[in-house]
Coordinates of all heavy atoms in Angstrom, one line a residue:
I128 N -19.5 -19.3 -13.8 CA -20.5 -18.5 -14.5 C -20.7 -19.1 -15.9 O -19.7 -19.3 -16.6 CB -20.0 -17.0 -14.6 CG1 -19.8 -16.5 -13.2 CG2 -21.1 -16.2 -15.3 CD1 -19.2 -15.1 -13.1
N129 N -21.9 -19.2 -16.3 CA -22.3 -19.9 -17.6 C -22.3 -18.9 -18.7 O -23.2 -18.7 -19.5 CB -23.6 -20.5 -17.5 CG -23.6 -21.7 -16.5 OD1 -22.7 -22.5 -16.5 ND2 -24.6 -21.8 -15.6
V130 N -21.1 -18.2 -18.9 CA -20.9 -17.2 -19.9 C -19.4 -17.3 -20.3 O -18.6 -17.6 -19.5 CB -21.3 -15.8 -19.4 CG1 -21.0 -14.7 -20.5 CG2 -22.7 -15.7 -19.0
R131 N -19.2 -17.0 -21.6 CA -17.8 -17.0 -22.1 C -16.9 -16.0 -21.4 O -17.4 -14.9 -21.0 CB -17.7 -16.8 -23.6 CG -18.4 -18.0 -24.3 CD -18.5 -17.7 -25.8 NE -17.2 -17.2 -26.4 CZ -16.2 -17.9 -26.9 NH1 -16.4 -19.2 -26.9 NH2 -15.1 -17.4 -27.3
V132 N -15.6 -16.3 -21.3 CA -14.7 -15.4 -20.5 C -14.6 -14.0 -21.1 O -14.4 -13.1 -20.3 CB -13.3 -16.1 -20.4 CG1 -12.6 -16.2 -21.8 CG2 -12.4 -15.4 -19.4
E133 N -14.7 -13.9 -22.4 CA -14.5 -12.5 -23.0 C -15.7 -11.6 -22.5 O -15.4 -10.4 -22.1 CB -14.6 -12.6 -24.5 CG -13.4 -13.3 -25.1 CD -13.6 -14.8 -25.2 OE1 -14.6 -15.4 -24.7 OE2 -12.6 -15.5 -25.7
T134 N -16.9 -12.1 -22.4 CA -18.0 -11.4 -21.9 C -17.8 -11.1 -20.4 O -18.1 -9.9 -20.0 CB -19.3 -12.2 -22.1 OG1 -19.4 -12.4 -23.6 CG2 -20.5 -11.4 -21.7
I135 N -17.4 -12.0 -19.7 CA -17.2 -11.9 -18.2 C -16.1 -10.8 -18.0 O -16.3 -9.9 -17.1 CB -16.8 -13.2 -17.6 CG1 -18.1 -14.1 -17.5 CG2 -16.2 -13.0 -16.2 CD1 -17.8 -15.5 -17.1
W136 N -15.0 -10.9 -18.7 CA -13.9 -9.9 -18.5 C -14.5 -8.5 -18.8 O -14.3 -7.5 -18.0 CB -12.8 -10.2 -19.5 CG -11.7 -9.2 -19.5 CD1 -11.6 -8.0 -20.2 CD2 -10.5 -9.3 -18.8 NE1 -10.5 -7.4 -19.9 CE2 -9.7 -8.1 -19.1 CE3 -10.0 -10.2 -17.9 CZ2 -8.5 -7.9 -18.5 CZ3 -8.7 -10.0 -17.3 CH2 -8.0 -8.8 -17.6
N137 N -15.3 -8.3 -19.8 CA -15.8 -7.0 -20.2 C -16.8 -6.5 -19.1 O -16.7 -5.3 -18.7 CB -16.5 -7.0 -21.5 CG -15.4 -7.2 -22.7 OD1 -14.3 -6.8 -22.5 ND2 -15.9 -7.7 -23.8
A138 N -17.6 -7.4 -18.6 CA -18.6 -7.0 -17.5 C -17.9 -6.7 -16.2 O -18.3 -5.8 -15.4 CB -19.6 -8.0 -17.4
Y139 N -16.7 -7.3 -16.0 CA -16.0 -7.1 -14.7 C -15.2 -5.8 -14.8 O -14.9 -5.2 -13.7 CB -15.0 -8.2 -14.5 CG -14.7 -8.4 -13.0 CD1 -15.4 -9.2 -12.2 CD2 -13.6 -7.7 -12.5 CE1 -15.1 -9.3 -10.8 CE2 -13.3 -7.8 -11.1 CZ -14.0 -8.6 -10.3 OH -13.7 -8.7 -9.0
T140 N -14.9 -5.3 -16.0 CA -14.0 -4.1 -16.1 C -14.7 -2.9 -16.7 O -14.2 -1.8 -16.7 CB -12.8 -4.4 -17.0 OG1 -13.3 -4.9 -18.3 CG2 -12.0 -5.5 -16.3
S141 N -16.0 -3.0 -17.1 CA -16.7 -1.8 -17.7 C -17.4 -1.1 -16.6 O -18.2 -1.6 -15.8 CB -17.8 -2.4 -18.7 OG -18.8 -1.5 -18.8
A142 N -17.1 0.2 -16.5 CA -17.7 1.1 -15.4 C -19.3 1.0 -15.4 O -19.9 0.9 -14.4 CB -17.3 2.5 -15.6
E143 N -19.9 0.9 -16.6 CA -21.3 0.9 -16.7 C -21.8 -0.4 -16.1 O -22.8 -0.4 -15.4 CB -21.8 1.0 -18.2 CG -21.5 2.4 -18.8 CD -20.0 2.5 -19.2 OE1 -19.3 1.5 -19.3 OE2 -19.6 3.7 -19.4
D144 N -21.2 -1.5 -16.4 CA -21.6 -2.8 -15.8 C -21.3 -2.9 -14.3 O -22.1 -3.4 -13.6 CB -20.8 -4.0 -16.5 CG -21.4 -4.3 -17.9 OD1 -22.6 -4.4 -18.1 OD2 -20.6 -4.5 -18.8
I145 N -20.1 -2.4 -13.9 CA -19.8 -2.4 -12.5 C -20.8 -1.8 -11.6 O -21.2 -2.3 -10.6 CB -18.4 -1.7 -12.3 CG1 -17.3 -2.6 -12.9 CG2 -18.1 -1.5 -10.8 CD1 -15.9 -1.9 -13.0
M146 N -21.4 -0.7 -12.1 CA -22.5 0.0 -11.3 C -23.7 -0.9 -11.1 O -24.5 -0.7 -10.2 CB -22.8 1.3 -11.9 CG -21.7 2.3 -11.7 SD -22.1 4.0 -12.1 CE -22.8 3.9 -13.7
Q147 N -23.9 -1.9 -12.0 CA -25.1 -2.7 -11.9 C -24.9 -3.9 -10.9 O -25.9 -4.3 -10.4 CB -25.4 -3.3 -13.3 CG -25.6 -2.3 -14.4 CD -26.7 -1.3 -14.0 OE1 -27.8 -1.7 -13.6 NE2 -26.4 0.0 -14.1
W148 N -23.7 -4.3 -10.7 CA -23.6 -5.5 -9.9 C -22.7 -5.3 -8.6 O -22.7 -6.2 -7.7 CB -22.9 -6.7 -10.7 CG -21.6 -6.4 -11.3 CD1 -21.3 -6.0 -12.6 CD2 -20.3 -6.5 -10.7 NE1 -20.0 -5.8 -12.8 CE2 -19.3 -6.1 -11.6 CE3 -19.9 -6.8 -9.4 CZ2 -18.0 -6.1 -11.3 CZ3 -18.5 -6.8 -9.1 CH2 -17.6 -6.4 -10.1

Side-chain angles (χ1 to χ4, degrees):
I128 303 175
N129 294 316
V130 177
R131 294 175 46 89
V132 70
E133 295 84 0
T134 301
I135 288 173
W136 177 275
N137 291 335
Y139 203 90
T140 59
S141 154
E143 294 79 16
D144 285 314
I145 290 168
M146 291 191 309
Q147 302 303 312
W148 58 262

